[in-house]
Structure formats: C-alpha cells, structure tokens
Amino acid sequence: MREVTLKQIAENLGISITTVSKALKDYPDVSKKTKALVKEEAKRLNYKPNVFAVNLRTKESKTVGLIVPEVVHHFFSSVINGIIEQAEKKGYLVIILQSNESSELEKKQIDLLISKRVDGIMISLASTTTDISHLNYVLEQETPMVMFDKISKLVDCSKIIINDREAAYVATKHLIDTGCKRIAHFRGALLPQNSIDRFLGYKKALEDHGIPYDSSLVYICERVDYQNGVDAATQLLQDHDDVDGVFAITDLVAIGAIKVFNEKGIKVPDDISIMGFSNWFVSSAITPSLSTIDQPGYEMGVKTFKLLYREMKAKKKGEKIVLKTKVLETALIKRNSTK
Amino acid sequence: MREVTLKQIAENLGISITTVSKALKDYPDVSKKTKALVKEEAKRLNYKPNVFAVNLRTKESKTVGLIVPEVVHHFFSSVINGIIEQAEKKGYLVIILQSNESSELEKKQIDLLISKRVDGIMISLASTTTDISHLNYVLEQETPMVMFDKISKLVDCSKIIINDREAAYVATKHLIDTGCKRIAHFRGALLPQNSIDRFLGYKKALEDHGIPYDSSLVYICERVDYQNGVDAATQLLQDHDDVDGVFAITDLVAIGAIKVFNEKGIKVPDDISIMGFSNWFVSSAITPSLSTIDQPGYEMGVKTFKLLYREMKAKKKGEKIVLKTKVLETALIKRNSTK
DNA sequence: CTGAAAGCGCTTACAG
DNA sequence: CTGAAAGCGCTTACAG
C-alpha cells in the first residue's frame, strides 16, 4: 500500500500541493471547479491526511490524557465513559492511564503525557499524593488541566467535584433521623481530601444532633474496597455491641459490611442500619438493597471534558483562561438498609 | 515558555544539530566528551524531543487503540486494566474507545484510529457486528490487530479467547451433577459468538446427560445486564413451576435472577440453583454467593497486548507476521447458589 | 569524530 | 485564483 499524500494528488491533477491543501480545507480563494476536482480525486484515492505532519505544523495532537487511580472501579469507569463519549463528539481521543493510587506512578504518567504533547490533561489524584510539584509542572507547561473528584485544593486549576462534606452530613443525618444513636463510620485513608471531608461531614452531623463523637467508632479502610468492609465490620462486632448504624465511605465497603452482618445473623436494618456512598448500581441488587448517596460519575466525566475543552479552545485563541470549580449535586437514595 | 529544541542545544554548545541528535541517541560515532556535554545541556534545559516530529520521521506513534463494547463493565474494565499496564511497560500509550455495542460506531472508531495512525489495534466486537469489512480494512492497511473475547471467526487476525462452549458445558454439568433436572438458560442475543457458544455448551451438556432440551426454558437477554436478569427470572416464574436450575450467560444476569428469587421467597439453591459466568468479584459478595465460571479478564488484557506487541515488532523489522489464537483457561467456582 | 543536506507531509504567509 | 517557498523539529545517509 503506497501512502496517499497531497503530492500524489497534486501530480495526478497537474496542480500544486498548495492548491490541493487549500482546496481540501475549503479555503475561499480556490475556485469551485478546482475544489470539486481535488475532492473527487482525494476520495478516489481514499486520501487521509498524515496526522503526524498535521500535528507538527499545528502543534496540536487532538488527544487528551486521563489519569485515574483505578480503572476497575464503578465510579471511575463511569467517569471514563462520560469523558470518552464527550471527547469523541468534539474530535478528541483519550489516552487513559491508571496510577494505582501511587503518587510516583502518577508523576511518571504526567511526564509521559506531557512528552506526548497531549492538548490537555484530566486527573483524579492518587490517595497518597501530597507533593503537588508534578501538577504545577503541567500548569507551567501551559497545558490545560482539570482535576475531578479526588482533587488537591493547593493546585490552581479548574475542578469538578461534589460537596463531600455536605453529602456525608446528609447520609449521617439520615441514619440519625431514622433512629440510630450509636453510629460507626468506616472511613478511608487519612490523606485524601474526600476521605477527610466525608469524615468531617459525619462528625458534624453527630454534633449538630446531640450525639457525642466517639473516635473508637471510626474505622480506617486503607484501600476502600470490599475486603476492607468485611474486615471493618468484623472488627466492629468484636469491639462494640451497641452500634445501631454504620456510615461507610463508599458502597463497596458497605456491601462488605452487609455481607458480614448477613452471615452473623445480624438484621439490617433492624439491628444495624447501613448507609453507603456512590450509588453503584449493584447497591440496588444486593439484599437488603443499600441506602446511599448518589454521586453522578457519568455526568462528572462529561462536565470534566467540557471544562477542559473550553480551556483548550481559549488557549488556542490566545485568550486568558478563567479557572472554574463546579460542584455537582448529590442525592440521598433511601433503600432497605436503613429504616 | 520557549520550546527547547535540538537547534537550541546546538547553538548553546556551538555544534551541529546532527551531532546533538546523535549524541542524545548514543550513536557510537560521537565522542564521549561531546555526548557528556550534550546530555548535560539537554538535562539543564529539560529538553524533551518533539514527538510530533519524531512520529513524522519514524512513522510510528507509539500509541495503540482499543475498542470495547462497554467501559463500565466488570469484565472489560479488567481487560483494560491488563492492557494499559502492559502497554505502559513497553512504552506504549492506549487510546480507548467504546462502541456501545453499535456496529456503526465501531466502524467509525476504526477509521478514527487508522487516521490517527496508531501502531496497532485491539478490539472486542459489538454484539451487532456482522459486516466485517471495517476489520478487513485494518488488515489491508497492514496495521497489526488482535481481537479478544468477542471475536469474529471470519477475520484473519490473532485472537485471545476462552472456550465458551466448553466452559458453558462445565457450568451446566455442575447444575446436573448437583441434582438439577429442569434447567433454564438465560442467554444473550442471537448474534454474538460467545452467546451462541455458551448456548451450545448448555445444550450439549443436557443432551450428554439424558435431559431433553426444551426451547421454552431458554430466555433471551438482549443487553445482558442486571435488569435483563430480573425480567427473565420474573418471566420464568410465570411460565414454569418446575424449574430447579438456571444457567445465566453472565454474573450480572444471574444476580438479577437471585434478587427476584430472594424477593419472591424462592430459596437458592434449595428450590432453584443458579450458575453465573465471569466470576465478577461481586458474585462472592451477594447472598447467597454465586457459583460461576472464572473468566480471566486481566490476564486476557495482558496477553492481548503482548500478542499485539509481538506483531508490531515483527512488522517494524519487516518480518512476516505469524497469526496466533490463544485460548485461556477458565475454571468452575463453586459457591452457595448451587448445592 | 563532525556536520551539511535532504526529507518526513503538511500549512500558510506571500507574491503574482 | 494559483503556486513557489519556508518552515514545523526531527533523523539519517553520506561526505569529509
């Protein structure tokens, strides 16, 4: 297969490369007749512009990078879905990388994406990321960047988030409203902002409703997965016999807890009520179905790309980029794991 | 920020661009002293080669494309995970697209990836794909391609699959071995090869064990999701009162069925046994935990990229590409939804 | 060991 | 309306 180039078309038609190029791009200063001729020939030869050359000239790759902590994760895969759909609509392709919650990997991947000269970067931070120099490096390169969900307040870029503190407050309040008095919290690791915020929301709700905060009721789930939920619930049953409610940082953890309670003959929600967080579709499939907070992953993906797109466009036009932080709505979903 | 180029380094050092380029790539015909000097200066300026120019010269993008029917899916997200990890190790980035089970979208996305001049393509077909001309087009372009899981036997490329028919046979036999006599099958749509193969495995197992095949026990789940499982199970209960076993095409469908049976007071596995397919981790979290067939998604991803990598390397060296089809092992996982 | 030169395939400012 | 020419930033065959 010989590659079809502008030169090829020009030779076939006996005109210049310049004219061919302009004809294909519908420049106004080419005659209709020539345009028609060129387009026909291009079609006949199945001409596809060489993107490598186009990239080099235009200094654009029409490609964006995305870094998430994990791909195999209900929430992040929904975000990915929203991002790639939206990107495709606007003519962008998405390179996806996964940091595995490792700050070093995250750093390397940022470097990779910058070397690839992607037009923009979207990122949700690893739980262990405290040093933000690699993120500031992106901004120094003047590469548009949008952070979502797991963000750092210290980085000066656009963000798409939910109000974790408030949502956790609503979740905890729902437990209180339905009669719980001793409410445990299965939280995430100490560092990530969303883990901190959800914890603070939990604590605030207790305080506002006259329930004393008891740190022995807070369990840390380092990896925020199913097994962590199983372990925390098992430990909880050993430590306490008066707990009547659990607020888990995420549905996965809550589902692990329900599994343990089901097996030990503890009735949910009669003996212990459980609140999750995220509204993963599986939450409605388990028994009892899980009350939770709806966190709009797909929408977050769509909004994240849209914001990035706006910045890329502004940059191209040489306009000043106005940073934005959008807070998406969450909602309380009542099901059968709470009264 | 001024871009740092080879020219920049050359000027700073008072030598030629050629020598700078060769020094950075450790050509043997550059003196050690010059190399050291060049490398130092490159480091000082934080030089990054312009990939657009490199791509244009080398005709390689060091990028591969991946098309899956759905991203938000336990099996495919595991495959994605395996692919991007493996690709990163070999210095490749992965552009991910989702066909949404649409054959037209799949076609467009193939075109997109070819226009982007990715070095290779990995694809799992949409359920509706019957026309394979877009896949043959990839091969005509001499772009290496590997198909996985949802494949077409008609396309002449390398493949990574499991033996769906045999695995379904094992699943059905397990139901028979544990005492089931009237076994329903919740199958997928009529077209996809894996849906056909699992159905055939089910049918063969019945026949081999003296159980008459009854087409009224076969329900079609067009989208193979949770809701389909709920619907099929609901319909099954209306149509039959003697069924004592169900083999579902995938865990998601099985979980929908379990939900219905739990709600209607039908005991699993005492009244009806259920087998899933895939071994999604949630299968062990529900009550009762689901017996299933383990389908190695992560491993499939790793193997798929490795095979593609081999072909890309062969192509680069001008060697002949030897096509391969690898069949990965599956395993019966016994849990509490079967006796 | 070093470097001038051609070329990858395109875009676009400029001249006519 | 058309086209010659420069240039994007790199690589590499070739000459010295």
Side-chain angles (χ1 to χ4, degrees):
Chain A
M1 286 254 339
R2 265 210 62 200
E3 286 292 338
V4 183
T5 62
L6 291 183
K7 194 174 163 199
Q8 175 81 228
I9 297 175
E11 278 171 10
N12 288 5
L13 262 35
I15 58 176
S16 77
I17 295 175
T18 305
T19 304
V20 173
S21 173
K22 288 200 278 197
L24 287 174
K25 302 187 78 195
D26 261 330
Y27 271 48
D29 62 347
V30 178
S31 74
K32 279 193 181 165
K33 204 175 133 196
T34 309
K35 275 185 190 170
L37 234 54
V38 169
K39 285 180 181 172
E40 199 190 309
E41 184 67 3
K43 192 160 188 184
R44 196 178 70 77
L45 297 176
N46 190 24
Y47 169 73
K48 304 237 163 122
N50 183 322
V51 271
F52 299 158
V54 175
N55 289 344
L56 181 59
R57 276 296 315 224
T58 61
K59 298 184 183 300
E60 271 191 309
S61 63
K62 287 281 183 180
T63 302
V64 293
L66 168 62
I67 302 177
V68 290
E70 278 181 274
V71 167
V72 186
H73 187 291
H74 57 106
F75 176 69
F76 289 120
S77 62
S78 300
V79 177
I80 291 174
N81 187 11
I83 287 177
I84 62 180
E85 275 192 17
Q86 197 58 36
E88 207 179 339
K89 272 187 201 158
K90 300 288 190 183
Y92 282 80
L93 292 181
V94 186
I95 287 170
I96 300 178
L97 292 164
Q98 125 172 306
S99 66
N100 271 323
E101 300 284 9
S102 152
S103 203
E104 298 97 87
L105 242 187
E106 187 178 287
K107 202 176 193 108
K108 270 189 209 153
Q109 291 171 337
I110 287 276
D111 263 349
L112 249 177
L113 291 175
I114 293 288
S115 311
K116 272 278 173 174
R117 308 206 174 206
V118 293
D119 297 337
I121 291 178
M122 294 158 286
I123 184 168
S124 192
L125 299 181
S127 291
T128 51
T129 296
T130 45
D131 177 8
I132 55 164
S133 56
H134 56 303
L135 302 167
N136 285 329
Y137 171 65
V138 174
L139 301 176
E140 281 163 26
Q141 305 297 311
E142 285 169 15
T143 301
M145 175 168 70
V146 177
M147 296 193 3
F148 63 92
D149 194 55
K150 293 174 75 180
I151 64 155
S152 163
K153 291 180 178 168
L154 303 174
V155 181
D156 204 25
C157 68
S158 287
K159 290 153 196 157
I160 304 276
I161 50 175
I162 59 168
N163 190 329
D164 281 294
R165 197 183 298 204
E166 194 180 291
Y169 185 97
V170 169
T172 310
K173 183 168 178 300
H174 176 58
L175 288 168
I176 297 170
D177 288 348
T178 54
C180 298
K181 307 273 182 225
R182 284 282 280 172
I183 302 173
H185 178 36
F186 294 172
R187 64 165 291 172
L190 293 176
L191 279 180
Q193 194 61 49
N194 64 356
S195 170
I196 294 170
D197 284 338
R198 291 181 199 173
F199 166 70
L200 291 176
Y202 155 79
K203 203 170 161 193
K204 184 79 169 21
L206 296 184
E207 283 162 4
D208 284 1
H209 294 81
I211 298 180
Y213 167 68
D214 177 353
S215 66
S216 79
L217 293 176
V218 175
Y219 292 79
I220 294 183
C221 298
E222 281 296 339
R223 302 185 43 88
V224 189
D225 61 11
Y226 172 72
Q227 191 55 44
N228 270 185
V230 168
D231 296 345
T234 307
Q235 191 60 45
L236 175 74
L237 293 180
Q238 280 180 31
D239 297 347
H240 301 276
D241 57 6
D242 57 349
V243 165
D244 56 8
V246 172
F247 166 44
I249 183 169
T250 191
D251 286 357
L252 216 52
V253 171
I255 289 171
I258 285 182
K259 178 76 176 176
V260 170
F261 295 156
N262 278 347
E263 281 179 2
K264 305 252 176 182
I266 292 166
K267 299 240 177 306
V268 177
D270 297 330
D271 300 334
I272 300 184
S273 295
I274 304 189
M275 274 298 297
F277 198 110
S278 269
N279 197 26
W280 184 21
F281 82 97
V282 170
S283 306
S284 66
I286 57 164
T287 307
S289 58
L290 183 67
S291 295
T292 189
I293 297 289
D294 185 56
Q295 185 187 14
Y298 176 82
E299 186 194 349
M300 188 172 272
V302 171
K303 294 262 166 77
T304 297
F305 182 81
K306 280 190 175 168
L307 204 50
L308 184 70
Y309 181 71
R310 190 175 313 178
E311 295 197 2
M312 293 189 299
K313 226 168 55 179
K315 183 191 169 190
K316 207 161 131 187
K317 288 191 193 161
E319 293 168 4
K320 207 176 150 0
I321 291 173
V322 183
L323 300 182
K324 285 192 184 178
T325 293
K326 272 201 185 153
V327 182
L328 304 186
E329 293 295 317
T330 54
L332 173 63
I333 309 285
K334 300 178 193 173
R335 295 209 185 91
N336 300 323
S337 67
T338 53
K339 281 178 241 173
Chain B
M1 287 254 340
R2 268 211 58 202
E3 286 292 337
V4 183
T5 62
L6 290 183
K7 193 175 163 198
Q8 175 81 228
I9 297 176
E11 277 171 9
N12 287 6
L13 261 36
I15 58 177
S16 77
I17 294 175
T18 305
T19 303
V20 173
S21 174
K22 289 200 277 197
L24 287 174
K25 303 188 77 195
D26 261 330
Y27 271 49
D29 63 347
V30 178
S31 74
K32 278 194 181 162
K33 205 174 133 197
T34 309
K35 275 185 191 170
L37 234 52
V38 168
K39 284 180 180 171
E40 199 189 309
E41 184 67 3
K43 190 159 188 186
R44 196 177 70 77
L45 297 176
N46 190 24
Y47 169 74
K48 304 237 163 119
N50 183 322
V51 271
F52 299 157
V54 175
N55 289 345
L56 181 59
R57 276 298 313 226
T58 61
K59 300 183 183 299
E60 270 192 310
S61 62
K62 286 283 182 179
T63 302
V64 292
L66 168 63
I67 301 178
V68 290
E70 278 182 273
V71 167
V72 186
H73 187 290
H74 58 105
F75 175 70
F76 289 119
S77 61
S78 300
V79 177
I80 292 174
N81 187 10
I83 287 177
I84 62 182
E85 275 192 19
Q86 196 59 35
E88 207 179 339
K89 270 186 202 159
K90 300 288 190 181
Y92 282 79
L93 293 181
V94 186
I95 288 171
I96 300 177
L97 291 164
Q98 124 172 309
S99 66
N100 271 323
E101 301 283 9
S102 151
S103 202
E104 298 96 87
L105 243 185
E106 187 178 287
K107 201 176 193 105
K108 270 190 209 153
Q109 291 171 337
I110 287 276
D111 263 350
L112 250 177
L113 292 176
I114 293 288
S115 311
K116 272 278 172 176
R117 307 201 177 211
V118 293
D119 297 338
I121 291 178
M122 294 159 286
I123 185 169
S124 192
L125 298 182
S127 291
T128 52
T129 296
T130 46
D131 177 7
I132 55 164
S133 55
H134 56 302
L135 302 167
N136 284 329
Y137 171 65
V138 174
L139 301 176
E140 281 163 27
Q141 304 297 310
E142 285 169 15
T143 301
M145 175 168 70
V146 177
M147 296 192 7
F148 63 92
D149 194 54
K150 293 174 74 181
I151 64 154
S152 163
K153 291 180 178 169
L154 304 174
V155 181
D156 204 24
C157 68
S158 286
K159 290 153 197 159
I160 304 277
I161 50 175
I162 59 167
N163 190 329
D164 280 293
R165 197 183 299 203
E166 193 180 293
Y169 185 97
V170 169
T172 309
K173 183 168 179 300
H174 175 59
L175 288 169
I176 296 169
D177 287 348
T178 55
C180 298
K181 308 272 184 226
R182 283 283 279 170
I183 302 173
H185 178 37
F186 294 173
R187 64 165 291 172
L190 293 176
L191 279 179
Q193 194 62 49
N194 64 356
S195 169
I196 295 170
D197 284 338
R198 291 181 200 173
F199 166 70
L200 291 176
Y202 154 79
K203 203 170 162 193
K204 184 78 170 18
L206 296 184
E207 282 162 5
D208 283 1
H209 295 81
I211 298 180
Y213 166 68
D214 176 353
S215 66
S216 79
L217 292 176
V218 175
Y219 292 79
I220 294 183
C221 299
E222 280 296 339
R223 302 184 43 87
V224 189
D225 62 11
Y226 172 73
Q227 190 55 45
N228 270 185
V230 169
D231 296 344
T234 307
Q235 191 61 44
L236 176 73
L237 293 180
Q238 279 179 31
D239 297 347
H240 300 276
D241 58 4
D242 57 350
V243 164
D244 56 7
V246 172
F247 166 44
I249 183 168
T250 189
D251 286 357
L252 216 52
V253 171
I255 289 171
I258 286 182
K259 178 76 176 177
V260 170
F261 295 155
N262 278 346
E263 281 179 3
K264 306 251 174 181
I266 291 166
K267 300 239 176 306
V268 177
D270 296 330
D271 300 333
I272 301 184
S273 294
I274 304 189
M275 274 299 296
F277 198 110
S278 267
N279 196 25
W280 185 19
F281 82 97
V282 170
S283 307
S284 66
I286 57 164
T287 308
S289 57
L290 183 67
S291 295
T292 188
I293 297 291
D294 185 56
Q295 185 187 13
Y298 176 81
E299 186 194 349
M300 189 172 271
V302 170
K303 294 262 166 75
T304 297
F305 183 81
K306 280 191 174 167
L307 204 49
L308 185 70
Y309 180 70
R310 189 175 314 177
E311 295 197 2
M312 294 188 299
K313 228 169 55 180
K315 183 190 169 191
K316 207 162 131 188
K317 287 191 193 160
E319 293 168 5
K320 207 175 151 0
I321 291 173
V322 183
L323 301 182
K324 285 192 185 179
T325 292
K326 272 201 185 154
V327 182
L328 304 186
E329 292 295 317
T330 52
L332 174 64
I333 309 286
K334 300 179 192 174
R335 294 209 184 92
N336 300 324
S337 67
T338 51
K339 280 178 241 174

